[in-house]
Amino acid sequence: MVDDATQRLRCACGIDVHAHMVPAEFPAYLGRRMPAQWPSTAAAPDAGGLCHRHVMIAGKNYRTVSEKSWSVTRRLADLPAMGLAHQAISPMPELLSYWMEPADAQELLRYLNEQIASMVAEGRGALIGMGAVPLQDVDAAIVELRYVIETLGFAGVEIGSNVNGVPIGDPCFDPFFEACEALGAAVFVHALKPTGMDRLVGPAPLQQVLAYPTDVGLAAASVITGNLMLRRPGLRIAFSHGGGTLAMLLPRLQQGWGVFPALKEQVRTSPVEQARQLFFDTLVFDAPTLAHLATVFGPTQLMVGTDYPFNFHERAPLARIEAAGLGADAAALLTDGNARRFLARAFAAQTESSKERP
């Protein structure tokens, strides 16, 4: 006989907070001089019954993606087998374009945000929008943030782990996070242009495999050492890839906080307490590691993340949660309860919409 916990994990009821989109095409540049890294797509050989396209950046193939990146029909068809009822979609991180001039980036990101809005509308409640903003210019980022939240009705935004080398815990980004807090916008932090690439020995995919978790761990640590959550206690901010290296760094940070006076002076509240105010996805590909994250950060702070539709994604996220042996109540939180808190705007909007129906 199947118990209630197992039945819940087998149902299509999960909420994926970490999934991406790439449009089938990008707009032509309308300015006077096209940035070298303005993206485009080119036809690629079909495979596995799917249409594929190369994403071209600076004249090179950055990544080859399938039509699952833009086809809502294909995406929705895959959700039940993954145990998912909802999926939050954000741009492929390389498209955040912090290295462009702000006006150029804003033009590109506005197009991406409107493409996401179209996908959300076509998804009939299954898809949730997470927009992009030109964070290299905080004022411009706040303008686009207001557009995606107030006009497009998104739940929040995706940002990179650093902005042209500046970690997101730097106080220069505080006005942006203040606006996110005021608007109730969720913030999902994804690794981008990671540090340490010169220390890797091997092929290019090691950027995703090893460097991404390193950079997102340092980004989360910068939020703690920068006291962001003390200034913005209502901010809902989540980190990809299980927070990367943070779970291993946190005991050292906590111990150092008690040993070094300069660190105690800088970090005004226990690092562990601050870490437990942050959210993290479950994308660690290992049940014991996931169980450890639940111990370190608390089962109330973890949410399903898959990195769909790219090749390096979690294909059975609910089975991974079940294998972690967290118990029925904690598993229910990881499956959908925590994501409903994190993506509160989306589910509040759905509740209001259902109330308005006759």
Side-chain angles (χ1 to χ4, degrees):
M1 183 174 180
V2 177
D3 62 28
D4 291 342
T6 301
Q7 183 62 40
R8 182 177 182 82
L9 289 170
R10 289 178 181 174
C11 74
C13 57
I15 302 170
D16 179 8
V17 303
H18 181 176
H20 298 299
M21 60 78 67
V22 178
E25 297 178 343
F26 290 91
Y29 180 69
L30 300 178
R32 301 179 68 180
R33 179 178 297 177
M34 186 172 72
Q37 292 183 306
W38 188 268
S40 62
T41 60
D46 293 350
L50 295 172
C51 171
H52 284 70
R53 296 187 72 81
H54 300 310
V55 180
M56 308 299 295
I57 299 178
K60 298 179 180 179
N61 178 15
Y62 173 76
R63 180 176 290 173
T64 300
V65 299
S66 81
E67 63 184 298
K68 293 182 179 184
S69 297
W70 61 83
S71 169
V72 173
T73 300
R74 291 281 193 181
R75 187 179 294 260
L76 295 183
D78 283 349
L79 296 188
M82 298 171 71
L84 301 175
H86 302 280
Q87 191 175 69
I89 54 174
S90 55
M92 182 174 72
E94 191 73 13
L95 300 177
L96 292 175
S97 302
Y98 295 152
W99 36 92
M100 289 186 190
E101 289 297 320
D104 293 332
Q106 193 280 333
E107 180 181 335
L108 175 62
L109 298 183
R110 175 62 60 91
Y111 174 81
L112 292 175
N113 289 332
E114 292 182 346
Q115 290 292 302
I116 292 172
S118 295
M119 293 176 70
V120 169
E122 188 179 347
R124 303 182 304 280
L127 303 181
I128 297 166
M130 295 291 282
V133 299
L135 200 51
Q136 63 268 54
D137 183 319
V138 171
D139 290 339
I142 293 172
V143 170
E144 192 64 16
L145 171 71
R146 291 191 178 280
Y147 179 74
V148 300
I149 299 299
E150 297 177 337
T151 301
L152 299 182
F154 287 3
V157 292
E158 173 191 49
I159 66 171
S161 51
N162 68 87
V163 180
N164 299 322
V166 181
I168 60 167
D170 191 287
C172 70
F173 300 119
D174 198 55
F176 172 74
F177 291 122
E178 180 181 19
C180 290
E181 182 184 40
L183 291 167
V187 179
F188 183 72
V189 182
H190 195 286
L192 181 66
K193 302 289 187 187
T195 188
M197 289 296 294
D198 57 327
R199 303 296 177 89
L200 299 181
V201 179
L206 286 178
Q207 179 182 33
Q208 299 174 59
V209 175
L210 298 180
Y212 274 11
T214 299
D215 210 68
V216 81
L218 292 176
S222 79
V223 163
I224 294 171
T225 59
N227 300 296
L228 175 62
M229 299 308 293
L230 300 186
R231 296 191 304 277
R232 307 291 163 219
L235 179 67
R236 299 191 305 281
I237 184 168
F239 293 84
S240 64
H241 310 106
T245 56
L246 181 66
M248 293 299 293
L249 297 174
L250 191 58
R252 293 183 62 86
L253 183 56
Q254 183 69 28
Q255 182 70 13
W257 184 71
V259 170
F260 298 108
L263 190 51
K264 187 89 170 187
E265 181 179 355
Q266 166 67 24
V267 184
R268 299 199 303 271
T269 298
S270 159
V272 168
E273 291 180 17
Q274 290 196 57
R276 284 177 163 247
Q277 294 177 265
L278 311 175
F279 289 86
F280 307 88
D281 75 14
T282 59
L283 189 58
V284 294
F285 301 111
D286 181 65
T289 300
L290 183 55
H292 178 64
L293 296 186
T295 299
V296 174
F297 300 131
T300 62
Q301 304 308 115
L302 302 177
M303 309 173 291
V304 172
T306 66
D307 224 344
Y308 179 96
F310 303 139
N311 288 335
F312 191 38
H313 81 263
E314 175 65 87
R315 287 165 169 79
L318 270 62
R320 191 81 69 179
I321 292 172
E322 184 177 11
L326 303 175
D329 291 343
L333 291 175
L334 269 68
T335 299
D336 70 344
N338 297 335
R340 286 181 182 273
R341 286 193 296 122
F342 177 66
L343 302 168
R345 285 187 56 87
F347 292 101
Q350 287 185 7
T351 300
E352 290 302 315
S353 176
S354 64
K355 288 179 180 178
E356 293 173 1
R357 296 191 192 109

